[in-house]
Amino acid sequence: MSRAERICLIFSAVVCLMFVFSLSDSGPNVVTSVRAPLPPVPASVTDRPGKVIVSVEDESGTPLAGATVRVLSIQDDRAYLAGAGRSDGAGHTTIGMFPTGEAWILADAEGKARASTRLVVGNEAREVTIRLLRAQAMRVAVVDDAGAAVADAWVEARTGDPLPFLAKTDAAGQSTMARIGPPPWMLKVRASGFEAVSQTVTKASGDPIKVTLRRLGWIDVSTVDLEGRAIAHATVLVAGSGLWPARKIQSDEQGHAKVGDLPRGIYDFRATRGDLVSPAEMGVALGRGESKSITLALGPGRRVAVHVTDGNEEGAAPVAGANLVVAEGGLSSFPLEATTDAHGSASLGPIAPGEAFLSAQADGFVPTTGVAVPPGAGPTVHIGLVRGGTLVGDVVDARGFPIDGATIEVVGTMASGEPIDESPDRVAFRAAHFSWALTGPRDLVPAGELGVMRGPLPGIPHAGALPARLLRGHGSSPPPEPWVTRNDGAFRAFPVPPGRVRAIVHHPAYLEGISDLVTLASGGEASVHVVLGGGATLEGRVFDDQHMPVGSARVDIAAARGSLERTTFTASDGTFAFAAVPTEIVVSACRPDAIDDVAMRTNVSLKEGERKEIEIVLPAARDAVTVVVNDARGSAIDGAQVLLLSLQPESPLRRTLFTDRTGHAVFKDAVGLAVRLSVSHRGQATALRDIQAAPAEITVELHGGVAVTGSVTTRRGRDPLEGADIALYTEAGTLRSHTGRDGAFRLDDVAPGPARLVATHGGYARIEQAVRIETPTQADRPAELEPVNLEEGGSVEGEVVDGRGDPVAGARVAEGAVPTYLPAGKLPPG
C-alpha cells in the first residue's frame, strides 16, 4: 500500500470518529460538551425505517435508569447524530426513524465508565444491551528527565471507549481522572518545551503512573549575504518532521534566529528578505535535546511571471482568480502561492536559482501540474487550462428502483496518461488548503511539539464538513455542488477532467458500484448507468487471548476481488460492524496500542443479503525485540533507521524506528518471527540481515560505506556526457546520482558486494550492467568503476488500434512494461 493510500485510509477512519474525539472528560465528574452542535443525519437520507432498542445495565446486570444514550449513524464514513435519549426505570430507551446501515451507540451515567457498541441497523428493529462498569480513578505524575515535576502538562487517556479523558497537571506535576474505565489505558502526555510521550498502562495501581518528558532541541540560524555579512530582519522559514506546515521567524539585528522547542527529526530551512533568497537547506538532522547552528546565505532571487488562459489557442481569454503554486525542485517544503488578476497574470517569488515547477487550478477547469519554470533571471510562463467536462448518469438497485443519496467519485486516465481521481470533497479540500496557504507561513511560537497558534482555537468541523467560507477560493466562488444522486437516482458531476473515466458510486446500504468506461471531452458531456448490489452485513467482536473484549482495536476489511477497503474501530465491548460488504473479504485486526500493526488476519466468505457474526481472537502479544546498533568501534549510534519486516504472511509486521542515544530500538510483539532487518545511518553502509526466528536482542554493527566514482561518456568514450541519471541497485537499497560537466558521478555510503548499475539520459539508449563494489586498499580513496558509454538512441513510431482496427486515443506506450498510472508532472524515463 502506498503512503498516499495509507494516509487516505487512516483519514477516512479519523473523519468517522471526529466528533466523538472532540468530547473529553475535563474533571472527575464532568463530561464537557462538544465545541459545535453534533451534525444531524443529512436531509438527503430520506429512507429511515430502522429502530434501535437500547438496554443499559450496571456491572451486576441491574437495569440502570437515567443513563444518557446517543445513537450515531455512519453514512459514507461520516458520523451523524441520529437520536439521543435517557434510559427509563427499566433501563430501556428506544431510538426510531434510524437510517439503515452502520450504527454506533454510546452510553454514559454518573459514577460509571462510558461504554459503546457497534452494529448494523436494517428494516427491522435491533435490540442491544450495554453494560456500564464502575468508574475507576487514575493518577498520573509527570516529571522531566531531571526528575522535576512538570506543571500544566496535558494528559490524555483512552480506554476501550473511544472518547478520550483530558486533564492538566498541577504544580506538583500530578493529575487525577476519577471517571475512567478499566485498563488498559493509552496515555499521551504533552507539555510546552518537551517531546510528547505515549505509553500503555495494562494494570491499575494505587500509585501514580510516572511519565517522564524529555526536553526539546533547538537550532540557531544565521542569515548572511554572499560575502558572509550578517543580514538583519530576514524571514527564516522552517519545516520538518516535527514542525509541519512551515513556520516563520525573524532574524535579529545580528542576523540570528533561534528555532526552539523542536523534537528529534529532520528539518528544512530557507531565508528571504525582499528579493533576496537563500537556497533551501534540506535534511538538517536534530537529535533529542540537541542544539545546532546553520548558516543561510541569501543572494538575488528571481520572480516568475505567469499568464493563465482558457486553453492554448491564439487569443485565448485570460482566466482570473486562478490559483498558482510554484515549488522548487518539484516538491518543496516552502511553496509560494498567488492568484491571477483580471488579466490572468500573476508574479511569484523570489525563488532561488535552479529547477522549479508551477501548478495552476481554477473553477471549472482541470488542475495543471508540473509546468517547468525556464531558467533565467525573469522567466515568463504561459499556462493554458483545460475545461472540465460533465458526467451525468443514474443509479438504481438490482430491481431497477432509483437510489437516492448515493455519492459519486470519478476515476480514470487523461489523454496525457495522468490519473483522474476527483470528487467534490477533493475540490473543496484543495480550495480550503490554498486559501489557508495564500496568507503564508504562520509565525513560530515555540511551545512544544508543533508550536501553538495565537488567539482562540477555532472550532473543529464535525462529520468531515468544512465551513462554507473555506470551500471558496478566496471567498469568490461558491462551494462545489455535491455529487449525490437525487430521489430519481440521477446525478451530475462537474467539473471532471477530460479523458477515459468511470463513476464509482458509494451508498451505506449497498455495495460499491462502478460504471462502464466512457470518453469525456473537454467541455463535453458523457452519460453512465450504474446498478448497485445489496451486498452482505458483517458484525463481530474482537477478543484478546484471555477472551476479554478489546475496545478501540482497529479493524480493516478489503475485498478479495476489487478495490474496496474500509476501516473502523471497535466499541468498548469489542464490537464492530460493516454494512454492504462483498461476499469475499479479508478482515484484519490491530491492537489498540499498535493500530498500524496487523495482529490477526482472516478470510471471510458471505452470501448476498446474509448477516454474519464472527469473533476475532488476537494472539498473545510476543515479547519485544531490541535492536542494538553500534559502529565499528563498538560505540552506540543515535538516530539510526531500523526497518523490521516480517517474512510470515500471517503476521504482516512492518515497522520503522530510530535508535535512541544508547543505540537501542525496541520493536514490540516481534520475538520469534522470521524477519528481515535493514539498518542505515548517514556515513555508514546499510546493513541487511534475514533472521529465521528473531531473538529478544539483535546487535548490528555498521561499517563505513565505500565511496564509488565513475563516469559516463558518449561517442565511444570520446565525449563526457553531462546530466546522465545513475542508479546503483544493491541488496541494501538503491542509490542515485547525476553526472556533472565532466561526465563524472559519485555515490557515497555504498556497501561492498555485487550491484547493478543503470545509466540513462534523454536521447540516448539506456545501459544496464552488473558490477562489483570492492573495498579500496586505501581507506580514503573511492572505488572506481569502469567508464560507461551511452550511444545515441533511436525512435519507434506506430499506431495503437483496437480489435476492429479503430485507433485508440489515450493509450500509454512505453519501452518494456507500461505503468498502470503515471505521476502528475514530469513523466518517468521511457
Side-chain angles (χ1 to χ4, degrees), residues 375-388:
T380 300
V381 179
H382 171 256
I383 299 178
L385 294 180
V386 177
R387 284 195 173 271

Side-chain angles (χ1 to χ4, degrees), residues 381-712:
V381 179
H382 171 256
I383 299 178
L385 294 180
V386 177
R387 284 195 173 271
T390 303
L391 185 67
V392 298
D394 67 301
V395 180
V396 299
D397 62 18
R399 301 167 298 172
F401 294 162
I403 298 175
D404 70 334
T407 57
I408 312 300
E409 178 183 0
V410 179
V411 299
T413 308
M414 298 178 67
S416 60
E418 297 175 11
I420 297 171
D421 189 354
E422 198 66 279
S423 70
D425 284 346
R426 291 184 177 86
V427 174
F429 180 80
R430 286 197 300 262
H433 181 270
F434 185 87
S435 297
W436 170 85
L438 190 64
T439 59
R442 274 52 174 173
D443 290 335
L444 175 67
V445 183
E449 184 181 15
L450 292 177
V452 298
M453 182 187 301
R454 284 197 178 103
L457 182 68
I460 297 176
H462 297 289
L466 290 170
R469 62 183 175 82
L470 289 183
L471 301 186
R472 306 179 177 92
H474 344 296
S476 59
S477 303
E481 289 293 328
W483 297 356
V484 179
T485 57
R486 303 188 299 264
N487 56 8
D488 60 354
F491 70 86
R492 178 180 182 273
F494 172 83
V496 175
R500 305 179 74 199
V501 299
R502 300 178 189 269
I504 300 180
V505 184
H506 306 274
H507 192 285
Y510 296 88
L511 281 176
E512 175 184 278
I514 303 178
S515 75
D516 292 334
L517 194 67
V518 296
T519 300
L520 181 63
S522 173
E525 182 176 293
S527 177
V528 295
H529 174 73
V530 183
V531 179
L532 299 186
T537 296
L538 180 68
E539 295 181 356
R541 182 170 290 187
V542 177
F543 295 95
D544 62 16
D545 59 307
Q546 303 297 317
H547 214 71
M548 297 296 293
V550 179
S552 295
R554 173 178 160 178
V555 180
D556 302 325
I557 64 169
R561 293 179 297 275
S563 61
L564 181 132
E565 290 184 353
R566 294 175 62 191
T567 295
T568 191
F569 290 84
T570 58
S572 60
D573 60 356
T575 54
F576 64 89
F578 291 99
V581 301
T583 55
E584 298 290 335
I585 59 174
V586 179
V587 182
S588 304
C590 307
R591 294 186 175 89
D593 58 342
I595 63 171
D596 289 329
D597 299 326
V598 175
M600 182 66 181
R601 177 170 288 167
T602 184
N603 296 327
V604 177
S605 297
L606 305 98
K607 297 178 181 179
E608 183 79 19
E610 177 186 11
R611 182 170 70 87
K612 176 177 272 192
E613 296 184 10
I614 66 171
E615 289 186 358
I616 298 178
V617 180
L618 302 180
R622 301 177 181 87
D623 290 336
V625 170
T626 301
V627 179
V628 184
V629 183
N630 299 320
D631 61 18
R633 298 171 298 177
S635 301
I637 297 180
D638 183 15
Q641 178 177 295
V642 184
L643 168 64
L644 190 73
L645 174 65
S646 170
L647 302 178
Q648 299 177 200
E650 66 276 11
S651 301
L653 174 66
R654 181 186 180 93
R655 194 179 305 155
T656 300
L657 298 176
F658 292 86
T659 56
D660 58 19
R661 291 178 179 176
T662 64
H664 288 63
V666 179
F667 293 85
K668 298 179 181 178
D669 197 17
V671 164
L673 286 177
V675 298
R676 173 164 294 172
L677 192 66
S678 175
V679 184
S680 59
H681 191 265
R682 184 176 298 178
Q684 308 285 339
T686 299
L688 192 68
R689 290 173 60 179
D690 286 347
I691 303 171
Q692 291 304 312
E697 183 171 300
I698 304 171
T699 300
V700 179
E701 187 175 279
L702 296 184
H703 297 269
V706 175
V708 175
T709 60
S711 62
V712 179

Side-chain angles (χ1 to χ4, degrees), residues 260-341:
D261 287 356
L262 294 177
R264 180 179 65 173
I266 306 296
Y267 296 91
D268 302 336
F269 291 85
R270 160 160 295 165
T272 62
R273 183 179 174 183
D275 285 334
L276 299 178
V277 62
S278 75
E281 182 76 18
M282 309 290 287
V284 178
L286 185 69
R288 181 177 287 116
E290 183 181 9
S291 60
K292 275 191 172 182
S293 297
I294 64 170
T295 299
L296 301 177
L298 286 74
R302 56 189 187 132
R303 291 192 170 271
V304 185
V306 185
H307 186 59
V308 182
T309 59
D310 183 355
N312 288 307
E313 294 76 14
E314 186 79 22
V319 177
N323 300 338
L324 302 175
V325 180
V326 63
E328 294 157 274
L331 182 64
S332 172
S333 299
F334 314 108
L336 298 175
E337 295 84 8
T339 58
T340 56
D341 58 19

